[in-house]
Every structure is written in C-alpha cells, then in structure tokens.
Amino acid sequence: NAGVMQNPRHLVRRRGQEARLRCSPMKGHSHVYWYRQLPEEGLKFMVYLQKENIIDESGMPKERFSAEFPKEGPSILRIQQVVRGDSAAYFCASSPSEGVRTQYFGPGTRLLVL
Amino acid sequence: AQTVTQSQPEMSVQEAETVTLSCTYDTSESDYYLFWYKQPPSRQMILVIRQEAYKQQNATENRFSVNFQKAAKSFSLKISDSQLGDAAMYFCAYRTMYSGGGADGLTFGKGTHLIIQP
C-alpha cells in the first residue's frame, strides 16, 4: 500500500517563475492537506481539499497561491511569481474520510527560490 | 485559536535510557485529537502516536507512550529504551474533532530536537 507521493522532491525556481507541486494521496484517501514548513519551524496548515472541492483555505496566502484536487490525477499546489520568501518545504498529507481522519504525510517538496 | 507549545528546543538522552518530551496546548474545546509526529533527517513526517481527548487511557505504541493530562492541557511523549534511530525532530500537534473554519488542519508546535548519545 503506497504512501502519500509527492513530486518533485526538490524544485529550484528563479524569482518570478511558477512552481507546481504535486501530491497523490494514499490509496483509499479522499482528503488532502497542504502544509508549509519554514526553516527551524513547525508545519503551518495551508489548505484542505476533497475531490474537486476546496474545503478550507484559511491558511493559504491570498495572492499567488492556489490549490486544486481534480476528479482525476494528483492534487496540485501552484505558486505564481515566486519570491525568495516562498523557499520552504511543502508537505502534503492525506486522510480517510471517516473516523479520526488521521493525516499521513508525504516526503515533502523542497522549494528553493533563487 | 489553538496553540501548541513545546518548551524544549533540544533534548539529549543516552541510548537505552528513557526520555520524556513535553507539550502543552491551549484550547477552549472539549473534543479534540492530539498527535506526536517524528521528523528524522530525511524530513519525512512520521506519525508516532495519537490520543483522542475523550479517552482517559493513555495511548501506547511499543516503546512510545503518552501522559495525557486533559485538565492541565498537557500531552507529553515518553520514549523508553531509546535507540539511535529515534534521533529526530518531534512535533506535537492538535486538531479539533469538528470540521470547518480552519479546524481541519493540524496545529503544530515548533518541535523538540532529540539527540541519542551512543
């Protein structure tokens, strides 16, 4: 049973470019969560999605960031016109829809903005 | 808003000994979940243990156990017979039992760096 998959594992972008981060949830999970981890910090919640729906984006920056979880394919976190402050590790987690909905994390994508 | 505090930035323990990592949290809710996650140098986030607030019995998973004190809003992690592979950052996390309004995400503490001395 494969875990949560994220790609790429490392991404380098120049200021002003776009970054697209992908996340495939665990088999049987229909809920996806994105978090950002700055150096020496804990993870900060960004957005929670179910298939074709954004349920909670209260932690998402208002500009340049967007997320989707289409009916087919992985969830995508998109950052437009990246700035150096976007450099961080971005983690995706997935959970089942029932019970405690414990979140299981992917390996993360390390984004470096030059 | 809920907050999670881990007051120990770093802890060190001899291999095979026992260590306790502290976590306190602030909430006005009565129903919630608490978690400990481990982040080794690979930076993968790994679930260690989970506690439901409505359960009085402390959760245990092999060498890992918690001391959950609901009234004191304390949730410490005890690691027995420490092993070299336990070396990692440990994060305490909180989640409400209910959905909506920003409640679905986990609220994390800043972490405790655990060093295992051989």
Side-chain angles (χ1 to χ4, degrees):
Chain A
N1 187 12
V4 179
M5 308 290 285
Q6 287 188 252
N7 67 82
R9 296 291 303 274
H10 300 273
L11 183 61
V12 179
R13 285 286 178 266
R14 297 193 180 279
R15 281 178 295 169
Q17 292 184 320
E18 178 180 290
R20 292 171 68 87
L21 288 61
R22 296 174 185 78
C23 169
S24 297
M26 283 179 71
K27 186 176 180 180
H29 287 187
S30 57
H31 296 207
V32 166
Y33 312 78
W34 285 94
Y35 293 81
R36 177 165 63 177
Q37 184 180 32
L38 296 171
E40 310 302 322
E41 295 283 329
L43 279 69
K44 302 288 188 194
F45 169 74
M46 299 178 74
V47 63
Y48 161 44
L49 310 102
Q50 296 176 21
K51 285 283 188 182
E52 300 184 283
N53 282 302
I54 297 174
I55 307 302
D56 180 355
E57 55 183 349
S58 58
M60 193 87 109
K62 295 288 184 277
E63 296 179 351
R64 301 186 298 106
F65 285 73
S66 63
E68 62 177 9
F69 189 15
K71 187 176 180 181
E72 301 290 339
S75 175
I76 305 287
L77 178 67
R78 182 183 179 202
I79 312 172
Q80 295 177 290
Q81 299 177 317
V82 296
V83 301
R84 287 205 174 127
D86 296 333
S87 295
Y90 292 83
F91 288 90
C92 168
S94 72
S95 78
S97 57
E98 301 296 328
V100 178
R101 292 188 288 123
T102 298
Q103 295 177 27
Y104 295 90
F105 284 80
T109 294
R110 276 78 182 167
L111 173 64
L112 175 63
V113 180
L114 301 177
Chain B
Q2 292 79 21
T3 58
V4 176
T5 302
Q6 293 179 250
S7 58
Q8 306 154 315
E10 187 173 282
M11 291 283 285
S12 182
V13 64
Q14 290 289 131
E15 193 177 2
E17 293 188 347
T18 295
V19 63
T20 299
L21 308 184
S22 301
C23 173
T24 58
Y25 56 94
D26 187 24
T27 184
S28 58
E29 300 174 336
S30 58
D31 297 320
Y32 48 87
Y33 305 108
L34 295 163
F35 305 85
W36 279 98
Y37 284 89
K38 166 185 175 180
Q39 188 177 42
S42 68
R43 302 200 68 186
Q44 168 88 51
M45 293 289 288
I46 301 166
L47 176 68
V48 175
I49 201 164
R50 178 186 82 197
Q51 175 80 43
E52 291 93 324
Y54 56 83
K55 290 186 177 179
Q56 292 187 340
Q57 187 172 8
N58 289 324
T60 61
E61 286 288 342
N62 301 313
R63 296 183 296 108
F64 298 87
S65 61
V66 298
N67 184 5
F68 173 48
Q69 302 288 330
K70 191 172 184 180
K73 296 179 183 176
S74 171
F75 182 60
S76 60
L77 175 70
K78 185 171 87 170
I79 306 173
S80 303
D81 185 26
S82 299
Q83 300 175 0
L84 294 177
D86 295 334
M89 284 292 290
Y90 286 80
F91 291 96
C92 178
Y94 170 103
R95 207 198 84 219
T96 184
M97 186 178 287
Y98 307 106
S99 295
D104 298 283
L106 294 163
T107 300
F108 283 88
K110 291 197 171 187
T112 296
H113 182 208
L114 179 64
I115 298 168
I116 310 295
Q117 305 278 6

